[in-house]
Amino acid sequence: MAATQRIVIENCSVATVDADDTEYASGYVVIAGDRIEAVGAGRAPEGLENVVRRIDGTGHLVTPGLVNTHHHFYQWITRGLATDHNLFNWLVALYPVWARIDERMTYAAAQGSLAMMARGGVTTAMDHHYVFPKGSGDLSGSIIRAARETGVRFTLARGSMDRSEKDGGLPPDFAVETLEDALAATEATVDEHHDASFGAMTQVAVAPCSPFSVSTELLREGAELARRKDVRLHTHGSETVEEEKFCHELFGMGPTDYFESTGWLGEDVWMAHCVHMNDSDITAFARTRTGVAHCPSSNARLAAGIARVPDMLAAGVPVGLGVDGTASNESGELHTELRNALLVNRLGPHKEAALNARQALRLGTHGGAQVLGRAAELGSLEPGKLADLVLWRMDTLAHASIADPVTALVFGAAAPVTASFVGGRQIVENGRLLHVDEDAIARSTRAEARRLAEIAGQG
């Protein structure tokens, strides 16, 4: 049996994001195989065997890899459209375009979305994909293939819609599945792709899209399916005032009460946005340990509002960060969301006390791992956890004069990524992806964006 190979990173600042927020001004991390073996202050221990690489981290901060908890990869090829719309009008404008996607487009868009995140420090990504036009090919398989090629850990939230315009929903009639087809296809995706083991690279969640695009039956039966298969549940919730009005008109209650009535609150559930939550909503999420994917840039882009993140955290609600789809967050990056989460929340009632730099970093790492149900594996730098970590360069013009490296990472400009590891395997070096060709991806995404525009009559 081959001896475990080790990588030693030393002479760097380390922010572990463990339960005590342990940090080292000058420390080390030892990677053994796919796990973190040791973290500490000063230089790495002498006498380590089978060290295949030593990395001098002088001028760097090492953190856990970032965890993205909400995204729509396919939107990479519809960026820059409907830029002055609120959510509902934006959806009405774009659903007819999205309903024309096919497997080639979805694969290219997933490559673009994943590449942009990975080169910016994301080591665990997710995609909430809910548009499945008839005859469009194996969309789920193409997305998973793109994630595997990029090298990131991945959760596919297999979405669905069955409430179209004829039923009082927003999607056009030709853009939705039947209840039966959606449930069958979701179950087949779980059976084919979900890996429940420690260190899994691919997992699947059950993810009907939203209250205004799915039937009550799809929500209820989707929850039953997820729990029968022992996988997580994901959807959009409480994103806008229009959604709240929609739920009261159709169901006679607000979104949170509606979700609870359909089995959609629980520690195996996380929801995107949760902007318009009252005190009782937050209490319900805390009581049930329902998670939240906070997407500050997208919420600002669509003028949805400011989520009550400080109140959620104080109540004990698990909260992570999300990019959201790149048709409502054109940068497609998660590391910039650390800064945006902090700044946007300080515009709310808690002002300067809303979030600090270390809370923002926790949202993007351990908080995300909690929300995805993987906090025992990822989200902090601790012995035994997976070696998913990032070396951020902090000694260039952009950051060198900021004394505290965590403050520099969160408050400063987007920091360069010198190296990023997933399970001990390096996927980024000096800001460039190691396993896929960024330039080729840029060309293919541009070509597929043009093809979609032509097919949808937008070109």
Side-chain angles (χ1 to χ4, degrees):
M1 184 174 177
T4 300
Q5 294 185 333
R6 290 179 171 83
I7 299 171
V8 177
I9 306 166
E10 53 192 347
N11 305 320
C12 51
S13 299
V14 181
T16 68
V17 200
D18 64 9
D20 299 318
D21 270 333
T22 306
E23 296 181 13
Y24 304 106
S26 180
Y28 66 87
V29 180
V30 179
I31 299 171
D34 67 345
R35 308 289 177 92
I36 296 169
E37 184 175 60
V39 185
R43 295 186 64 83
E46 298 292 333
L48 291 172
E49 297 181 351
N50 300 308
V51 176
V52 296
R53 186 178 176 195
R54 287 185 178 272
I55 299 173
D56 181 0
T58 300
H60 288 76
L61 169 67
V62 178
T63 73
L66 301 183
V67 179
N68 180 32
T69 62
H70 186 65
H71 210 312
H72 308 294
F73 290 175
Y74 72 92
Q75 293 180 14
W76 188 264
I77 56 174
T78 60
R79 294 193 293 168
L81 303 178
T83 55
D84 302 313
H85 293 50
N86 66 20
L87 175 69
F88 275 27
N89 292 334
W90 177 82
L91 289 171
V92 169
L94 290 175
Y95 269 142
V97 180
W98 295 336
R100 306 297 184 182
I101 60 173
D102 59 26
E103 183 176 340
R104 203 168 88 198
M105 294 174 190
T106 303
Y107 173 65
Q111 283 187 307
S113 296
L114 287 157
M116 198 69 190
M117 283 187 292
R119 68 201 292 272
V122 168
T123 55
T124 298
M126 70 79 69
D127 182 29
H128 185 192
H129 188 88
Y130 52 82
V131 182
F132 292 90
K134 286 185 173 59
S136 55
D138 182 10
L139 303 189
S140 294
S142 72
I143 297 164
I144 290 169
R145 177 161 56 99
R148 187 179 302 120
E149 291 168 353
T150 307
V152 301
R153 217 173 290 284
F154 181 58
T155 294
L156 175 69
R158 203 291 182 183
S160 50
M161 301 187 294
D162 71 337
R163 182 193 292 276
S164 64
E165 288 175 326
K166 66 178 173 53
D167 307 308
L170 290 181
D173 295 338
F174 62 86
V176 304
E177 300 173 282
T178 66
L179 170 65
E180 295 75 16
D181 287 348
L183 291 169
T186 300
E187 183 164 4
T189 303
V190 173
D191 290 342
E192 183 174 358
H193 296 292
H194 181 67
D195 180 357
S197 65
F198 189 100
M201 291 298 292
T202 305
Q203 296 195 332
V204 179
V206 174
C209 182
S210 66
F212 48 83
S213 60
V214 307
S215 65
T216 300
E217 292 75 19
L218 181 51
L219 277 178
R220 186 173 287 117
E221 293 184 40
E224 292 169 358
L225 167 62
R227 289 174 178 130
R228 176 163 52 84
K229 292 291 183 179
D230 195 23
V231 298
R232 296 183 75 74
L233 299 84
H234 181 59
T235 191
H236 297 88
S238 300
E239 187 173 0
T240 65
V241 292
E242 290 86 2
E243 178 188 332
E244 177 135 358
K245 180 181 177 184
F246 181 94
C247 287
H248 276 287
E249 288 178 352
L250 259 69
F251 314 121
M253 63 186 92
T256 299
D257 290 337
Y258 175 60
F259 281 127
E260 186 153 35
S261 76
T262 56
W264 270 80
L265 294 187
E267 61 183 359
D268 55 355
V269 180
W270 86 103
M271 296 191 196
H273 305 297
C274 299
V275 175
H276 296 278
M277 302 266 282
N278 59 33
D279 289 347
S280 65
D281 296 330
I282 292 175
T283 298
F285 270 56
R287 169 175 49 82
T288 58
R289 299 290 293 167
T290 303
V292 171
H294 176 46
C295 305
S297 292
S298 177
N299 293 342
R301 156 71 148 89
L302 295 171
I306 302 172
R308 296 175 59 187
V309 172
D311 296 329
M312 294 178 193
L313 295 175
V317 176
V319 182
L321 290 182
V323 172
D324 202 7
T326 48
S328 64
N329 180 359
E330 276 75 2
S331 78
E333 298 176 304
L334 190 70
H335 59 313
T336 54
E337 297 302 289
L338 301 174
R339 184 174 192 262
N340 291 342
L342 184 147
L343 296 180
V344 166
N345 280 281
R346 287 190 177 189
L347 294 174
H350 295 277
K351 298 185 178 178
E352 69 277 6
L355 290 176
N356 61 37
R358 282 158 178 81
Q359 287 174 308
L361 178 59
R362 179 170 289 276
L363 289 177
T365 53
H366 184 265
Q370 274 188 299
V371 162
L372 294 185
R374 305 195 69 172
E377 303 169 80
L378 358 142
S380 60
L381 302 180
E382 300 179 76
K385 284 198 170 185
L386 295 166
D388 293 10
L389 53 90
V390 181
L391 279 76
W392 308 92
R393 188 169 179 187
M394 291 295 164
D395 61 357
T396 67
L397 175 64
H399 303 92
S401 61
I402 304 176
D404 173 51
V406 175
T407 296
L409 178 66
V410 175
F411 279 83
V417 173
T418 293
S420 183
F421 293 86
V422 178
R425 178 181 185 237
Q426 190 170 352
I427 65 168
V428 176
E429 184 166 13
N430 294 323
R432 296 290 292 185
L433 298 166
L434 292 177
H435 306 296
V436 291
D437 185 337
E438 293 179 34
D439 297 328
I441 291 172
R443 290 192 295 272
S444 68
T445 55
R446 184 170 180 82
E448 292 305 309
R450 287 174 170 170
R451 189 166 70 88
L452 176 58
E454 290 171 2
I455 292 171
Q458 302 288 312

